[in-house]
Amino acid sequence: MPGPTAELEPVEPQSLKKLSLKSLKRALDLFSPTHGRLAPPDPESKKIRISHKIDVEYGGIKSTSQPARQVNSTATGGGNQPSGPSNFLALTGLEDSRDPLKSGAQNALAVGPSLQRKGPNNAGLAGKSTALVSTSASSERNFSTSAIMERIPSKWPRPVWHPPWKCYRVISGHLGWVRSVAFDPSNTWFCTGSADRTIKIWDVAKGTLKLTLTGHIEQVRGLAVSKKHTYMFSAGDDKQVKCWDLEQNKVIRSYHGHLSGVYCLGLHPTIDLLLTGGRDSVCRVWDIRTKMQIFALSGHDNTVCSVFTRPTDPQVVTGSHDSTIKFWDLRYGKTMLTLTHHKKSVRAMALHPTEHCFASASAENIKKFNLPKGEFLHNMLSQQKTIINAMAVNEEGVLATGGDNGSLWFWDWQSGHNFQQAQTIVQPGSLDSEAGIYALSYDVTGSRLITCEADKTIKMWKEDETATPETHPLNFKPPKDIRRF
């Protein structure tokens, strides 16, 4: 036994790595001549593979196409006798190829079973055939597959192309957050309310300051300018609602009754009524002239933060932090309807200037509703994923929404397509966290947009005149599944 042990002694000092390399080399020596070569093709396996693929692709129509093929063979193989009448139902894509006899190349794709006339001479005349053939000679699509697959066109409206918007002017002058904005009906000036407790009036064309009004002792959260009188109305966190006479530039009336800060303000378009909503969860209706509170529209469980009015019922619509929207009957001061579609606070609403519908925004979604019945239409097709403080829509159907993170998104009203996502830039010296939009409004023409921001500036936006559908193409895909809630 000492002989074999002497032979195995040299193996012991070899490492595992060396041994594995040795075995690897031995494997390479064995298989290197055939390395990289494919096995010779087997015709039998190729035939099985192709037949399996055909079965998977055309298994549904293969069985129905065979009887029709037999009919065609009996019709053509009968000698000199002509084929009888056959009822071909043509699947055509174009108008000029509806007649199967006049069309050129026929793709004999049989989808229906063929019935032969029972008689002694079965090989001569082909009987009534209900074969279904696609007869498109000059169609672009391949009807051999599109005839099988039913194509359902999307009923979703295609968005209208709108040019992108750009910021062309930044106005600074306020010493606090700019919280509210309203346009003069003549479109020559606009007013802004701020956390510095002042109301400033600016020239639309030049962007210069015309007037500063003081009187509030807290931030000014709501503004409205009357179309019928020379009055401007303001509301603030100091529970005060004031009526300013712009001929004298001073307060002529105050409306007392709110128990907490007033967050939103609206004017009735046809009657001399003022509507205010605030942290006391009540929307109050005031007679402008007599300063009387006509109604206290109570029903919300939390702050009323958005309101708009219409000339016809529902004349008052309010949105609240309790995530509901209420329609109010102005004759009786009662709730007509409550919409509970939103899951979070409805901080902004926008009434379309010409259509009978409105949009409402909360942190989770922007929704469109029909008027006067309040039917839910659809969600906007994207999510801004931020708290939306303000929104406005113009007659051309461009909806603008301003977010708490400074995002300004533009949407096509009809389709809900988001065609532009802009981001405001804070003025030098401000923190990045001060990029927030608190209010926005279109001018009377709808061609200028004004945003009021947390960096104490007012930004003016307009459409880019140089943009064309070629430079800014419409990247739209119709939605596959629409959430109906």
Side-chain angles (χ1 to χ4, degrees):
M1 294 306 290
T5 53
E7 288 177 9
L8 292 173
E9 275 173 11
V11 180
E12 288 174 6
Q14 289 184 3
S15 65
L16 189 66
K17 185 179 178 183
K18 196 170 181 182
L19 286 169
S20 61
L21 284 170
K22 263 189 179 180
S23 69
L24 186 67
K25 186 174 182 297
R26 196 177 296 115
L28 281 171
D29 289 340
L30 277 170
F31 300 110
S32 60
T34 58
H35 183 67
R37 280 191 216 161
L38 295 172
D42 182 19
E44 189 64 31
S45 63
K46 187 180 178 185
K47 188 178 176 184
I48 293 166
R49 188 170 71 251
I50 289 171
S51 67
H52 173 70
K53 281 188 176 180
I54 290 169
D55 281 340
V56 168
E57 189 73 29
Y58 303 109
I61 60 155
K62 195 175 173 188
S63 58
T64 57
S65 64
Q66 283 170 356
R69 240 180 252 159
Q70 289 172 7
V71 171
N72 292 335
S73 63
T74 52
T76 53
N80 299 325
Q81 294 185 4
S83 61
S86 64
N87 300 329
F88 285 104
L89 177 61
L91 295 178
T92 59
L94 300 170
E95 293 176 1
D96 55 351
S97 60
R98 280 184 187 166
D99 190 357
L101 301 175
K102 291 179 184 176
S103 64
Q106 294 188 359
N107 302 329
L109 174 66
V111 180
S114 306
L115 300 174
Q116 294 183 0
R117 184 184 296 166
K118 293 179 181 177
N121 191 3
N122 216 3
L125 291 171
K128 289 186 179 178
S129 159
T130 58
L132 195 67
V133 288
S134 80
T135 62
S136 168
S138 59
S139 176
E140 292 177 5
R141 293 194 296 172
N142 183 7
F143 269 92
S144 61
T145 55
S146 63
I148 308 158
M149 189 171 65
E150 185 184 0
R151 291 175 186 266
I152 303 169
S154 174
K155 293 179 182 176
W156 200 259
R158 184 158 179 81
V160 181
W161 182 84
H162 300 285
W165 291 65
K166 61 179 184 181
C167 179
Y168 73 98
R169 182 180 290 152
V170 179
I171 304 169
S172 56
H174 278 294
L175 303 175
W177 293 349
V178 191
R179 300 301 303 246
S180 52
V181 61
F183 265 92
D184 163 48
S186 67
N187 211 33
T188 54
W189 55 267
F190 67 93
C191 53
T192 55
S194 167
D196 62 8
R197 309 186 297 275
T198 63
I199 300 163
K200 290 184 185 289
I201 293 176
W202 311 85
D203 189 272
V204 172
K206 299 176 186 174
T208 53
L209 180 65
K210 297 178 78 169
L211 186 67
T212 302
L213 299 170
T214 57
H216 280 279
I217 55 173
E218 278 287 341
Q219 58 180 336
V220 182
R221 298 284 290 251
L223 284 172
V225 183
S226 174
K227 292 180 180 178
K228 294 189 285 184
H229 311 99
T230 58
Y231 295 159
M232 180 181 71
F233 298 89
S234 64
D237 278 353
D238 51 8
K239 312 177 195 174
Q240 296 181 20
V241 182
K242 295 178 184 290
C243 173
W244 303 79
D245 188 338
L246 295 172
E247 289 178 341
Q248 306 172 50
N249 294 334
K250 66 179 186 181
V251 178
I252 55 167
R253 296 185 191 102
S254 289
Y255 304 88
H256 299 285
H258 273 285
L259 307 175
S260 194
V262 188
Y263 278 23
C264 57
L265 189 127
L267 281 171
H268 198 284
T270 53
I271 317 168
D272 285 343
L273 291 178
L274 173 69
L275 295 107
T276 55
R279 269 182 62 191
D280 54 6
S281 312
V282 177
C283 176
R284 298 180 191 271
V285 184
W286 310 88
D287 187 313
I288 288 174
R289 192 174 55 83
T290 63
K291 302 184 285 185
M292 285 284 293
Q293 180 181 302
I294 299 167
F295 288 121
L297 305 175
S298 58
H300 282 294
D301 298 331
N302 211 328
T303 305
V304 178
C305 49
S306 51
V307 64
F308 68 83
T309 58
R310 305 172 64 240
T312 55
D313 279 337
Q315 295 182 53
V316 182
V317 180
T318 57
S320 168
H321 282 350
D322 64 6
S323 75
T324 64
I325 300 165
K326 286 186 184 288
F327 292 4
W328 300 90
D329 191 329
L330 204 54
R331 287 170 297 180
Y332 306 111
K334 306 272 185 189
T335 306
M336 293 173 69
L337 185 67
T338 303
L339 303 177
T340 57
H341 295 71
H342 283 285
K343 297 182 181 71
K344 296 187 180 175
S345 307
V346 185
R347 292 172 181 262
M349 295 192 298
L351 176 68
H352 195 281
T354 54
E355 296 178 15
H356 295 292
C357 53
F358 74 96
S360 60
S362 70
E364 97 279 352
N365 238 324
I366 301 169
K367 298 179 186 290
K368 255 172 72 179
F369 296 94
N370 214 343
L371 287 168
K373 293 188 178 176
E375 299 107 334
F376 173 67
L377 297 174
H378 63 86
N379 288 329
M380 293 295 171
L381 300 185
S382 306
Q383 286 184 326
Q384 201 161 341
K385 297 219 165 77
T386 184
I387 295 168
I388 296 171
N389 289 319
M391 64 195 307
V393 60
N394 64 5
E395 287 186 14
E396 293 174 5
V398 178
L399 176 71
T401 56
D404 220 32
N405 59 355
S407 59
L408 180 63
W409 286 24
F410 294 91
W411 314 75
D412 176 59
W413 178 267
Q414 199 63 37
S415 64
H417 171 61
N418 170 227
F419 68 88
Q420 187 187 356
Q421 299 178 5
Q423 179 71 31
T424 62
I425 302 165
V426 294
Q427 69 169 341
S430 298
L431 301 170
D432 287 340
S433 59
E434 287 183 313
I437 298 172
Y438 287 127
L440 56 85
S441 175
Y442 284 103
D443 69 347
V444 176
T445 62
S447 60
R448 295 288 183 274
L449 178 70
I450 288 182
T451 58
C452 303
E453 309 200 1
D455 63 351
K456 306 170 190 172
T457 63
I458 301 149
K459 292 188 175 72
M460 299 183 76
W461 304 71
K462 65 178 178 181
E463 289 180 341
D464 189 357
E465 294 95 348
T466 60
T468 62
E470 286 74 32
T471 59
H472 294 79
L474 199 65
N475 185 19
F476 172 70
K477 288 181 182 175
K480 291 180 182 174
D481 52 338
I482 299 300
R483 290 173 62 190
R484 288 286 169 201
F485 55 90

